[in-house]
Amino acid sequence: MGAKESRIGFLSYEEAAKRVTDVELKRLKDAFKRASGVSVYMSQQSFYRDVLGDAVPPKVAEVIYSSFGGTSKGLHFNNLIVGLVLLTRGKDEEKQKYLFSLFASDPSGYASREDMEAVLQALDGEVPLALRQCFSEGDKVNFERFRWWLQQNTEAFTFSRWLLSGGVCVTLTDDSDTPTFYQTLAGVTHLEECDIIDLEKRYWLLKAQSRTGRFDLETFVPLVSPPIHNSLSEGLFHAFDENRDNHIDFKEISCGLSACCRGPEAERQKFCFKVFDVDRDGVLSRDELHEMVVALLEVWRDNRTDSLPELQSSVSDIVESILKMHDTTKMGHLTLEDYQIWSVKSALANEFLNLLFQVCHIVLGLRPATPEEEGQIIRGWLERESRHGLQQGQNWFLISMQWWQQWKDYVKYEQKGIVVEQPSVLSSLRSSAPPVCAEADCRGAWSPQSSLSPDERSPDTLSSASEATETALAPLPSPSSDSCFSRAHPSSENPQCFSGQNGHLPQLCPQRPAAIDNQPLVNMDPIKAPTLTMEGGRLKRSLQLVPGRDFEIVPEPVWRALYHWYGANLSLPRPVILESRTKAAELELFPRFLLFLRQQPATRTPQSNIWVNMGNVPSPNAPLKRALAYSGCFSRMGTIKDIHLYLSQRLRIKEEDMRLWLYNSENYLTLLDDEDHTLESLKIYDEQQLVIEVRNKDMSWPEEMSFIANSSKMDRTKVPTEKGATGLSNLGNTCFMNSSIQCVSNTKPLTDYFISGTHLYELNRMNPIGMRGHMAKCYGDLVMELWSGTQKNVAPLKLRG
């Protein structure tokens, strides 16, 4: 029920939930999520403001919050529902029990006069005279006596008057005609109510990426750039930020998307005008026009391959031409009306508007109005990406070809008359797609050998300058007035789909595809270990997966948009890397699948020396155990430093407290201390085991300690050395101890005393506050090892313990 027990124990959540409808419960859950944010608790102030409102007296509100089970942490949803049901739909007896519980710790017990007077004094500032009647028979009353008194005095104090005399202003239903927030926003924009509800989910996801908790410029620019150039990103932000408070709220982004994507042409161009009006003075100065033309030319080059007269002119000449033809004030600037007139026949202005149209849908989350519009948006984005090719550092996402083909049919992606036929993304990113091989030496990646140049494109796609302008000015299909219904029932958009044409049998329109299903592309991995990376799964090698036949790839923004619109059961991102020999960009379909082991504490046996096992020092008799803990996929071009940094952040371990070992067998480990080596150069392949070693609290390393402990069992007669010239191993912060031991051990009379064994006859094993001789015996054993002349170094494990 929450962190604190509610006073309404006589009414369970299950019983309360039965008194509300499913619609009401869903609305309350949605409202609770909006009020509580990421927390599972509603704050006290939010409860006062959003639930009770201003009509509830402050003292009463405080008592209600506490009695519902609210704490400093907040109020749990279950407690909230129980309380609201009691206030609005509770029976008289339940309300009386609730009031009694405010004065009595146990509803089935008694309420004392002293406690009741204290509560009423705090609530009303006075004790009603009628209370004497309640306690006429003693200083304590049970519920039955209290109930009898309350029925006679329903207005004795503020709380009873508010709860029992019709003063409760809280309601679970809204029978008025007041529109909801979404209805109000839909009324002042060109968006449907369902568009706004869907857009709100995307808005909060984008805002959650902010470092400051606000959808500010710092958060906005990386989202839209690229494809929006940096020179335009700030202007686009200010075009959305209508009230100039340096952050975009949900109302502003809804109105901005409406104006940019769903409004009439004049309103859409007005939004673009705001992007270029940097100083927000309502006109475009000569300098602003210069920056605008530079940016628009870059947009054209990024998005189009056909020619344009402006591409052959200088920026200054273009600016002067615009001012000469459209500056109606003759003051050297363009007003909004001047800009709108110029933009009607400007291919540059309309190409920028089309780019904004793509960004608003794919990045900012506006759902396309029709399937055909969706297909055009995705196609435009993919064509631009295909011209740029793969870039190192990008992530591209795989989509099952079966689903992709269903989606293409649904949006009429390749239907003539809607868009010009274009090769798939894969075919435009490479000249040929070799099948994914399953041999051990297969790199599991393909690279683009060439991009489509204007000469390679169909002659039909190349046009003159006038044709380019007409293409840029061609309007996108206007959104249906019943877009929400049409998206749910795609067949309603095209009634001709059900009627026979030219003597043919009638055909049904393709249905909207279900969630993206990528499961056929991956193996069911038998290795049951939690993954640390987000690769989604290992692609099948056995079926000879062929790019373009079995799957399509899309850039990250397109994947996020499709995921938002359709959902998916599996996300399959793959990185773009540079091939080590050719330095060509390629998509790594099969990153290295690594297994990570962690050390387990050595099992202590009853026979183990208690002093040896102190301070996380492994017992020489108990070898270090390693167990499979995690799995993860990393690029073959990734360095050991990259993996080390990722693991330290993912596992929240300090970089200096972690090391990686290459694990080949129980007795053969290689420390990966050269961080510049890549997995490829180290010949680390799939399912290679790596040991994650974490430093002990005493600054020692478990693997080193285990090696030192196990090496003490080895025969050291083969490495003789001069007596007394044996060194001491550093066990982690033991340099001062080792120095002291060496000094004391070179005190000849004391050393002769321990080497002779005389100290064994003088050990005090009876001293209750001493070490019972253990310290002296351990030191004696160590001195004998130091002066035995049989080894070059020893580990003072026992003495350190």
Side-chain angles (χ1 to χ4, degrees):
M1 288 287 290
K4 181 179 179 181
E5 185 179 357
S6 169
R7 292 295 185 96
I8 319 173
F10 50 83
L11 182 61
S12 66
Y13 171 76
E14 290 73 18
E15 175 62 29
K18 293 178 181 178
R19 302 188 191 181
V20 297
T21 65
D22 293 339
V23 174
E24 290 172 338
L25 189 61
K26 182 180 183 302
R27 184 173 60 81
L28 289 170
K29 285 182 178 179
D30 292 340
F32 184 85
K33 287 180 181 178
R34 288 195 298 271
S36 59
V38 297
S39 174
V40 295
Y41 294 96
M42 174 183 284
S43 68
Q44 186 171 355
Q45 293 303 319
S46 180
F47 177 78
Y48 291 167
R49 181 183 65 252
D50 301 329
V51 178
L52 297 182
D54 299 332
V56 179
K59 291 290 185 180
V60 174
E62 186 176 345
V63 172
I64 293 176
Y65 177 79
S66 177
S67 63
F68 278 14
T71 65
S72 57
K73 186 185 297 185
L75 180 65
H76 194 271
F77 176 74
N78 289 11
N79 287 345
L80 175 66
I81 294 299
V82 171
L84 290 178
V85 168
L86 173 71
L87 295 182
T88 59
R89 298 175 184 177
K91 304 173 184 176
D92 289 342
E93 184 178 356
E94 290 173 338
K95 293 180 179 180
Q96 293 161 357
K97 283 185 178 180
Y98 170 62
L99 290 174
F100 182 71
S101 69
L102 300 179
F103 309 114
S105 56
D106 183 1
S108 61
Y110 293 86
S112 67
R113 181 170 186 166
E114 182 180 358
D115 292 342
M116 197 166 175
E117 288 179 348
V119 173
L120 293 176
Q121 185 70 36
L123 275 175
D124 296 346
E126 61 179 0
V127 178
L129 297 176
L131 189 63
R132 297 177 183 178
Q133 185 181 4
C134 182
F135 291 95
S136 60
E137 298 180 359
D139 290 335
K140 290 185 178 182
V141 293
N142 58 15
F143 171 67
E144 294 300 328
R145 177 69 180 178
F146 175 82
R147 181 185 180 189
W148 170 83
W149 172 79
L150 192 60
Q151 290 173 343
Q152 308 299 322
N153 302 273
T154 55
E155 298 191 6
F157 53 96
T158 303
F159 208 164
S160 64
R161 185 165 56 251
W162 180 79
L163 185 61
L164 301 178
S165 299
V168 176
C169 56
V170 182
T171 176
L172 294 181
T173 58
D174 186 5
D175 299 325
S176 67
D177 294 329
T178 304
T180 65
F181 169 75
Y182 305 110
Q183 293 170 339
T184 302
L185 204 52
V188 298
T189 64
H190 303 285
L191 304 177
E192 301 290 336
E193 185 178 354
C194 59
D195 289 325
I196 297 172
I197 294 174
D198 183 69
L199 187 60
E200 184 183 34
K201 300 174 184 177
R202 182 64 175 167
Y203 172 78
W204 287 107
L205 288 175
L206 297 176
K207 187 177 178 181
Q209 303 175 28
S210 172
R211 183 178 57 86
T212 61
R214 292 152 52 103
F215 199 6
D216 50 17
L217 184 64
E218 179 185 351
T219 307
F220 181 82
V221 171
L223 292 173
V224 301
S225 178
I228 301 294
H229 285 262
N230 287 327
S231 59
L232 295 173
S233 299
E234 186 172 351
L236 181 59
F237 174 83
H238 292 309
F240 280 107
D241 184 20
E242 193 69 30
N243 60 7
R244 305 184 184 184
D245 58 356
N246 295 321
H247 76 96
I248 304 173
D249 57 37
F250 179 62
K251 179 177 179 295
E252 288 174 331
I253 200 170
S254 299
C255 294
L257 292 175
S258 169
C260 182
C261 301
R262 298 287 175 83
E265 186 72 16
E267 187 175 352
R268 297 173 69 187
Q269 291 295 356
K270 179 180 179 181
F271 183 85
C272 294
F273 177 85
K274 294 179 181 178
V275 176
F276 303 125
D277 185 14
V278 178
D279 56 8
R280 304 183 184 184
D281 61 352
V283 296
L284 297 182
S285 65
R286 191 179 299 271
D287 291 338
E288 289 173 335
L289 284 174
H290 187 279
E291 295 297 326
M292 178 192 77
V293 171
V294 171
L296 292 182
L297 289 173
E298 291 297 326
V299 169
W300 183 274
R301 294 188 183 100
D302 281 349
N303 293 271
R304 303 291 289 266
T305 58
D306 35 8
S307 181
L308 195 68
E310 286 88 339
L311 297 177
Q312 312 302 323
S313 304
S314 67
V315 175
S316 300
D317 291 343
I318 298 174
V319 172
E320 293 302 326
S321 175
I322 294 174
L323 289 173
K324 182 178 180 180
M325 296 180 62
H326 300 284
D327 180 13
T328 57
T329 63
K330 303 304 178 182
M331 299 178 63
H333 61 233
L334 290 188
T335 63
L336 172 60
E337 293 76 13
D338 296 337
Y339 174 86
Q340 289 174 324
I341 294 173
W342 167 76
S343 65
V344 169
K345 295 184 178 181
S346 171
L348 290 177
N350 284 276
E351 187 59 36
F352 176 64
L353 184 59
N354 287 338
L355 176 62
L356 287 185
F357 193 78
Q358 294 177 16
V359 171
C360 289
H361 286 84
I362 290 182
V363 177
L364 300 182
L366 180 62
R367 192 181 293 268
T370 65
E372 291 81 6
E373 185 177 276
E374 180 181 325
Q376 285 188 344
I377 292 168
I378 299 294
R379 173 181 289 276
W381 196 285
L382 295 183
E383 287 178 347
R384 180 176 57 256
E385 292 292 342
S386 69
R387 285 190 288 271
H388 290 299
L390 299 176
Q391 302 293 326
Q392 184 185 15
Q394 289 181 335
N395 278 323
W396 286 64
F397 288 71
L398 277 65
I399 296 179
S400 167
M401 186 55 72
Q402 180 181 0
W403 186 92
W404 182 254
Q405 192 58 52
Q406 291 177 357
W407 175 82
K408 289 170 70 175
D409 294 340
Y410 170 65
V411 300
K412 301 178 176 59
Y413 193 79
E414 295 176 338
Q415 182 173 327
K416 294 183 179 180
I418 295 180
V419 287
V420 180
E421 291 200 46
Q422 179 77 9
S424 70
V425 182
L426 286 169
S427 60
S428 62
L429 288 174
R430 68 195 190 286
S431 58
S432 60
V436 177
C437 57
E439 286 77 4
D441 60 346
C442 177
R443 297 192 179 276
W446 51 265
S447 59
Q449 303 299 324
S450 62
S451 299
L452 292 177
S453 65
D455 296 334
E456 294 170 322
R457 297 170 64 92
S458 169
D460 295 334
T461 63
L462 298 176
S463 61
S464 63
S466 60
E467 291 172 334
T469 302
E470 291 175 3
T471 304
L473 292 173
L476 292 168
S478 59
S480 169
S481 60
D482 194 15
S483 58
C484 298
F485 180 81
S486 64
R487 282 198 291 270
H489 305 277
S491 58
S492 65
E493 298 165 5
N494 300 293
Q496 67 270 22
C497 295
F498 289 95
S499 59
Q501 296 180 2
N502 300 326
H504 296 289
L505 293 175
Q507 294 180 345
L508 293 176
C509 288
Q511 294 297 310
R512 187 177 192 272
I516 301 172
D517 181 14
N518 282 332
Q519 200 64 46
L521 299 177
V522 298
N523 285 315
M524 295 299 294
D525 206 326
I527 300 176
K528 301 300 181 183
T531 180
L532 297 175
T533 50
M534 307 296 290
E535 76 285 349
R538 302 170 67 187
L539 297 182
K540 292 179 179 178
R541 292 178 180 265
S542 59
L543 296 182
Q544 298 288 317
L545 293 178
V546 177
R549 184 194 71 185
D550 300 302
F551 62 86
E552 181 65 271
I553 64 166
V554 296
E556 185 170 353
V558 172
W559 166 260
R560 292 187 182 278
L562 292 174
Y563 183 85
H564 175 63
W565 298 336
Y566 294 94
N569 61 356
L570 206 57
S571 177
L572 297 174
R574 290 298 182 266
V576 177
I577 63 173
L578 290 181
E579 207 281 326
S580 56
R581 291 191 295 271
T582 64
K583 301 301 179 182
E586 64 178 36
L587 192 67
E588 189 174 26
L589 298 179
F590 295 95
R592 299 290 193 260
F593 180 69
L594 305 180
L595 305 176
F596 295 97
L597 310 181
R598 291 288 296 268
Q599 296 106 343
Q600 291 183 339
T603 304
R604 298 177 181 177
T605 60
Q607 293 79 16
S608 299
N609 190 317
I610 187 173
W611 304 109
V612 174
N613 284 304
M614 290 179 61
N616 292 330
V617 180
S619 169
N621 298 322
L624 192 64
K625 294 184 178 180
R626 307 173 188 90
L628 177 62
Y630 316 107
S631 64
C633 286
F634 294 89
S635 170
R636 71 172 190 271
M637 301 307 298
T639 63
I640 299 300
K641 182 177 182 180
D642 296 334
I643 299 175
H644 186 278
L645 178 62
Y646 181 87
L647 292 176
S648 67
Q649 293 175 347
R650 186 74 170 80
L651 300 176
R652 298 183 179 180
I653 302 172
K654 292 182 180 179
E655 289 185 62
E656 60 271 18
D657 289 341
M658 188 182 76
R659 299 193 303 191
L660 293 176
W661 295 75
L662 191 63
Y663 183 86
N664 294 313
S665 66
E666 188 66 35
N667 297 317
Y668 183 52
L669 282 81
T670 304
L671 179 64
L672 300 175
D673 52 354
D674 190 341
E675 296 185 334
D676 294 329
H677 278 307
T678 64
L679 296 182
E680 185 178 54
S681 64
L682 292 173
K683 293 181 171 56
I684 295 178
Y685 299 107
D686 275 353
E687 301 189 11
Q688 172 65 56
Q689 294 181 330
L690 299 179
V691 177
I692 301 176
E693 182 186 24
V694 181
R695 195 197 299 265
N696 292 325
K697 292 182 180 179
D698 61 4
M699 306 303 290
S700 63
W701 294 100
E703 293 293 344
E704 285 186 0
M705 298 294 292
S706 176
F707 174 78
I708 292 172
N710 293 330
S711 64
S712 64
K713 307 173 189 177
M714 299 169 58
D715 184 8
R716 298 185 182 85
T717 57
K718 297 180 181 179
V719 284
T721 185
E722 184 180 350
K723 292 184 178 182
T726 300
L728 293 170
S729 300
N730 192 331
L731 306 180
N733 282 347
T734 61
C735 51
F736 286 105
M737 184 189 78
N738 290 355
S739 300
S740 303
I741 292 174
Q742 291 286 14
C743 291
V744 176
S745 70
N746 279 279
T747 305
K748 194 172 187 309
L750 185 60
T751 297
D752 291 341
Y753 170 76
F754 280 99
I755 290 178
S756 66
T758 307
H759 66 287
L760 297 174
Y761 299 98
E762 299 179 356
L763 295 177
N764 183 0
R765 300 182 183 275
M766 305 302 294
N767 185 358
I769 62 173
M771 303 293 292
R772 301 183 183 275
H774 287 295
M775 178 71 77
K777 185 177 184 307
C778 289
Y779 177 77
D781 294 343
L782 179 61
V783 168
M784 291 181 184
E785 287 187 277
L786 289 175
W787 291 87
S788 64
T790 60
Q791 50 197 306
K792 292 185 178 181
N793 66 288
V794 296
L797 289 170
K798 293 183 179 179
L799 182 63
R800 176 178 179 273

